[in-house]
Amino acid sequence: MKSQNLFLAFAIIILSSTTAVLAQEQTGVCDAEGIKTDYENLTANYKATNIDALNSALASAKKVKEICKASTDELLKPQLNFVDRQIVALQGKILQLQFNAAASAAMKSKDYAASYTLAKEILTNDARFKNNVDLKIYAARAAYAASSKANGTDPVLLDAIKMMGEAIAQIEGGAKSTDWGLYDLVYKVTTGDSRDNALAGLHFTIGELKFEKTGEKAEAVKYFVKATTFPGADKDFIVRGYFNIGTYYGEFFKKNFDEANAKYKANGEKDTDETILLYGTAKAYADRAMDAYGRALQVLGTDDKDAAASLESTIANFYKFRFDGKTEGQKEYVATLLANPMPDPSSEIVPVKEETPAAPAPTVPPTPIKPTN
């Protein structure tokens, strides 16, 4: 949802309308006459609301500072103190206007490279906005968007992960907001809880970047699990969090399945203690995959019929493997899984004990299509 509050924190209060004063030749001497033209240009334009006038004022302020850098004139001290203050203030105002322009343009172009860079510069250099959670969220999400095609070592992508973590810490530390972001990069929702949505979205996105970009899949799953714990969030984050957890377990299922199958065939299609252990481990991962995909399906409901049908088919295939070709009792079994807390991904995987030698392995369940809601 797009924010209707276009960065009000950056609004510049207009106290008067001013017109740039054309610069004139000066003496270069640090006295009232020598700095008169530049000082007058500064005072005429430091409250302006357009970048050209503000840049003119800043140039004049810097010129006065340079001319008078060694001054000990007590009579000029009030003016020189004003110049010093305005250099800092003008640099901030100009940066804010540049950010506003870049963020507005990004709403249409979806190219967030410039607005990310400017937002980060403000967070880094302007103490007034160092802990502004809306700007932090915007910068983090803009970095994520700007790095969408980057690899796992790209500094912008890593910056996105870092800033999202900082935003989470700020929110959990009590930061307040209405929109939870700026411009079009906001977590505000009309139904549900916007704070929950921000936390779910940030956790999910960190998980996604670690899972797909940096290869830290075990770490990513922790973030996916956390993303599912915010009941007021948009259920898209919750569904996709469970889905990715299922995908994670599915990868381990396939690894054990493939290894067991290869050893089974190499041994003349006869089981050994090793193949039985590998099949049992694959079955344990099948349980966890069914648990995660089942939770995704439960939250998804009928919002995305294609994704729901794919999830149901995948769960059915896992169930068939888990129970050696049986199909009856699937719904009851999955319901039993979902009635219990979701297993901790870091907990030990206990292989399912094979009472009899495993039959030739069935086809590996396909990975379901991702929900698109």
Side-chain angles (χ1 to χ4, degrees):
M1 175 173 294
K2 293 183 179 179
S3 171
Q4 299 302 313
N5 181 358
L6 300 184
F7 208 176
L8 294 180
F10 284 168
I12 301 172
I13 301 173
I14 304 173
L15 299 179
S16 63
S17 178
T18 59
T19 303
V21 176
L22 295 176
Q24 299 176 7
E25 289 295 324
Q26 296 185 191
T27 64
V29 177
C30 184
D31 57 22
E33 187 61 31
I35 67 171
K36 179 180 178 181
T37 301
D38 278 307
Y39 189 80
E40 287 180 350
N41 187 49
L42 169 61
T43 56
N45 289 289
Y46 78 100
K47 295 179 182 178
T49 59
N50 67 83
I51 289 180
D52 287 344
L54 291 173
N55 275 325
S56 175
L58 178 60
S60 289
K62 287 182 175 180
K63 188 173 181 181
V64 171
K65 184 176 179 66
E66 177 62 25
I67 292 171
C68 294
K69 61 185 177 183
S71 174
T72 57
D73 190 335
E74 289 296 319
L75 293 177
L76 287 178
K77 192 172 183 179
Q79 291 170 292
L80 298 181
N81 286 341
F82 176 78
V83 166
D84 286 340
R85 292 195 304 273
Q86 289 310 314
I87 287 174
V88 175
L90 285 165
Q91 287 172 333
K93 288 180 180 180
I94 291 167
L95 192 57
Q96 291 161 25
L97 287 175
Q98 290 172 331
F99 168 79
N100 286 338
S104 294
M107 290 177 70
K108 296 180 180 179
S109 69
K110 302 305 176 186
D111 181 352
Y112 294 92
S115 59
Y116 149 68
T117 300
L118 290 164
K120 183 180 178 182
E121 188 174 349
I122 293 169
L123 286 166
T124 303
N125 298 324
D126 194 327
R128 295 171 300 171
F129 297 101
K130 181 179 181 180
N131 295 314
N132 186 295
V133 70
D134 289 323
L135 183 58
K136 179 75 73 173
I137 289 172
Y138 182 93
R141 293 186 66 182
Y144 167 67
S147 67
S148 61
K149 296 181 180 179
N151 60 38
T153 60
D154 183 87
V156 177
L157 183 147
L158 298 177
D159 211 19
I161 294 174
K162 176 177 177 289
M163 289 192 290
M164 286 182 185
E166 291 170 350
I168 288 171
Q170 285 182 249
I171 297 171
E172 292 178 339
K176 305 294 183 183
S177 178
T178 299
D179 292 337
W180 300 104
L182 297 168
Y183 289 89
D184 55 332
L185 301 183
V186 298
Y187 284 113
K188 183 178 181 179
V189 290
T190 54
T191 58
D193 184 286
S194 295
R195 181 180 182 275
D196 270 8
N197 198 50
L199 286 169
L202 290 165
H203 278 95
F204 174 82
T205 307
I206 291 175
E208 186 177 52
L209 290 173
K210 287 180 175 289
F211 195 86
E212 297 181 358
K213 297 290 188 178
T214 68
E216 301 169 273
K217 293 191 175 184
E219 185 71 14
V221 169
K222 296 177 185 178
Y223 284 94
F224 291 141
V225 171
K226 187 67 174 179
T228 68
T229 65
F230 300 101
D234 186 327
K235 70 179 184 179
D236 180 55
F237 292 127
I238 300 173
V239 170
R240 292 164 66 197
Y242 283 134
F243 177 91
N244 286 343
I245 295 167
T247 300
Y248 174 74
Y249 289 135
E251 290 180 357
F252 283 99
F253 163 83
K254 187 177 186 305
K255 177 179 180 294
N256 283 273
F257 173 93
D258 287 347
E259 187 175 352
N261 212 19
K263 291 180 182 296
Y264 177 83
K265 291 179 179 178
N267 194 45
E269 297 194 349
K270 294 179 182 179
D271 271 303
T272 64
D273 289 344
E274 185 179 13
T275 61
I276 290 173
L277 179 63
L278 287 166
Y279 280 127
T281 303
K283 287 186 174 185
Y285 278 116
D287 270 344
R288 291 207 178 184
M290 281 191 286
D291 180 277
Y293 285 136
R295 292 175 195 276
L297 180 60
Q298 190 178 58
V299 177
L300 178 63
T302 58
D303 286 357
D304 186 330
K305 293 181 179 179
D306 289 340
S310 179
L311 284 167
E312 288 174 346
S313 175
T314 300
I315 292 169
N317 284 333
F318 274 119
Y319 183 83
K320 188 175 181 180
F321 171 83
R322 170 67 174 81
F323 291 100
D324 303 320
K326 294 180 181 179
T327 57
E328 64 273 11
Q330 174 191 320
K331 289 185 178 180
E332 293 78 6
Y333 183 73
V334 174
T336 301
L337 291 175
L338 301 187
N340 296 308
M342 185 169 62
D344 181 349
S346 65
S347 63
E348 181 184 1
I349 291 288
V350 180
V352 174
K353 186 177 180 180
E354 293 284 356
E355 298 296 339
T356 58
T363 304
V364 180
T367 301
I369 59 175
K370 288 188 177 183
T372 57
N373 63 309

